[in-house]
Amino acid sequence: MNKNLFETIEKSCGVLQLPFSAKEFAQLAEEHALSAEAAQAVALIFEHMQQKKIANTILALLRFSRLPLKNPKTFQNFDFSVLRGKNVEQIRNLQTLAAIHAHKNIAFIGPAGTGKTHLAKAFGYECCQQGLRTYFIKMSELRDMFTTARRTGKTASVLNSLVRPSCLIIDEVGHCEFDKENTRLFFDLVDRRYNKEGNFNIVFTSNKNPSEWRGNFNEDDALLCALDRIFDTATVITIKGNSFRGANCETFSVQSTRVNAPTSTANSTR
């Protein structure tokens, strides 16, 4: 029989976390005189189970990530034709996920409606497809999460949950204000992820340049330390131009003319 057939079964069993090697299956095939067709059928079953488990894992990761499931934002449905410049190819290459394997953060900076959040979500979507845990959160949600955690005494568990994902996407940095305590928690989050082992990064989107983020945080020392770690190894992608939104918006103009009500005759002639 084809040696690759046994290796394929061993690979499928590895994904399924079944302790069954190519050598064991080969011995079993010899003992029961399995035909090539029978062995192929066994391999087909294991491969089907492998693909099913992978699909279920990806679905679970997408549900955990808080990324849209119904109409996902992907690199495939992003309109790269609207981008101009010599670095467009580098943006396309983000889908290789080299940044997360290199522990390199990404910041998409630019005006509203220029595709920053789409690209950030597309990166997270690709992470899920590759089996990497991802979590998407808006900056205002992060502020509220920190505030609630402080009030309930659960800051440690909240920080742990935000450190755990391989890819953490923080959307709309600069859209809300962080008080001193929340700024310190933000630093703790960044610092713990900075020292995290394995494949990881943080993806940011913002309408403001990082040099302007200080205006939304109330603890300069903590923020400066956080920024130092965020941009120690990072890719900053600045997108300029007008908003993409409204391209399918139709505008109709009509005019209303007042019509005077007919006057009634005071007394009709008898």
Side-chain angles (χ1 to χ4, degrees):
M1 294 184 193
N2 191 338
K3 181 181 177 182
N4 290 333
L5 182 66
F6 299 111
E7 293 174 348
T8 298
I9 290 174
E10 182 175 37
K11 181 180 177 181
S12 295
C13 288
V15 174
L16 296 167
Q17 297 182 334
L18 297 174
F20 192 52
S21 67
K23 181 179 179 180
E24 287 178 285
F25 181 64
Q27 290 173 341
L28 190 67
E30 287 286 338
E31 290 173 10
H32 295 274
L34 290 183
S35 66
E37 291 77 12
Q40 186 66 50
V42 172
L44 186 63
I45 292 171
F46 274 112
E47 187 174 0
H48 172 75
M49 293 170 63
Q50 173 190 341
Q51 294 304 320
K52 186 176 180 180
K53 180 173 181 179
I54 291 172
N56 288 338
T57 299
I58 291 172
L59 181 59
L61 288 170
L62 285 170
R63 285 174 173 165
F64 170 83
S65 72
R66 301 175 75 239
L67 293 169
L69 290 174
K70 188 175 181 181
N71 296 301
K73 303 295 185 182
T74 69
F75 286 109
Q76 286 67 40
N77 61 29
F78 182 81
D79 186 4
F80 281 96
S81 68
V82 301
L83 300 181
R84 297 289 184 273
K86 62 181 181 180
N87 297 315
V88 173
E89 198 58 32
Q90 279 86 335
I91 299 178
R92 287 182 182 274
N93 291 340
L94 289 175
Q95 59 191 300
T96 65
L97 303 185
I100 201 167
H101 293 285
H103 307 165
K104 182 177 287 189
N105 297 324
I106 303 171
F108 294 101
I109 310 297
T114 51
K116 303 184 304 298
T117 299
H118 186 136
L119 288 168
K121 288 181 176 179
F123 187 88
Y125 182 86
E126 193 61 34
C127 285
C128 292
Q129 297 297 315
Q130 298 302 320
L132 297 169
R133 182 174 290 199
T134 301
Y135 192 73
F136 175 90
I137 189 169
K138 290 186 178 295
M139 197 64 171
S140 57
E141 294 174 326
L142 183 63
R143 174 203 59 193
D144 295 344
M145 184 183 289
F146 282 162
T147 300
T148 301
R150 285 162 48 197
R151 186 172 63 249
T152 58
K154 295 182 178 179
T155 56
S157 62
V158 165
L159 284 173
N160 286 338
S161 69
L162 294 170
V163 171
R164 193 172 298 117
S166 297
C167 178
L168 176 65
I169 304 170
I170 303 178
D171 191 36
E172 298 180 346
V173 178
H175 275 223
C176 64
E177 187 171 322
F178 273 45
D179 63 21
K180 287 185 178 181
E181 290 302 318
N182 283 347
T183 300
R184 289 168 184 162
L185 286 174
F186 179 70
F187 164 73
D188 287 343
L189 170 62
V190 170
D191 182 59
R192 288 182 59 180
R193 291 191 63 86
Y194 180 76
N195 292 294
K196 179 180 170 71
E197 294 184 359
N199 300 319
F200 67 91
N201 73 346
I202 309 178
V203 179
F204 300 91
T205 75
S206 180
N207 294 351
K208 299 179 178 180
N209 288 320
S211 60
E212 301 175 88
W213 290 3
R214 184 180 298 184
N216 295 92
F217 294 87
N218 287 315
E219 175 58 77
D220 281 352
D221 290 342
L223 176 64
L224 290 175
C225 290
L227 293 177
D228 180 63
R229 285 159 174 75
I230 290 170
F231 295 104
D232 179 40
T233 305
T235 298
V236 179
I237 299 170
T238 301
I239 304 175
K240 301 177 181 179
N242 299 321
S243 173
F244 301 157
R245 300 188 184 111
N248 297 318
C249 178
E250 294 181 304
T251 302
F252 298 93
S253 177
V254 297
Q255 182 175 343
S256 173
T257 302
R258 180 183 294 277
V259 178
N260 294 326
T263 57
S264 59
T265 304
N267 292 308
S268 60
T269 305
R270 295 180 180 180

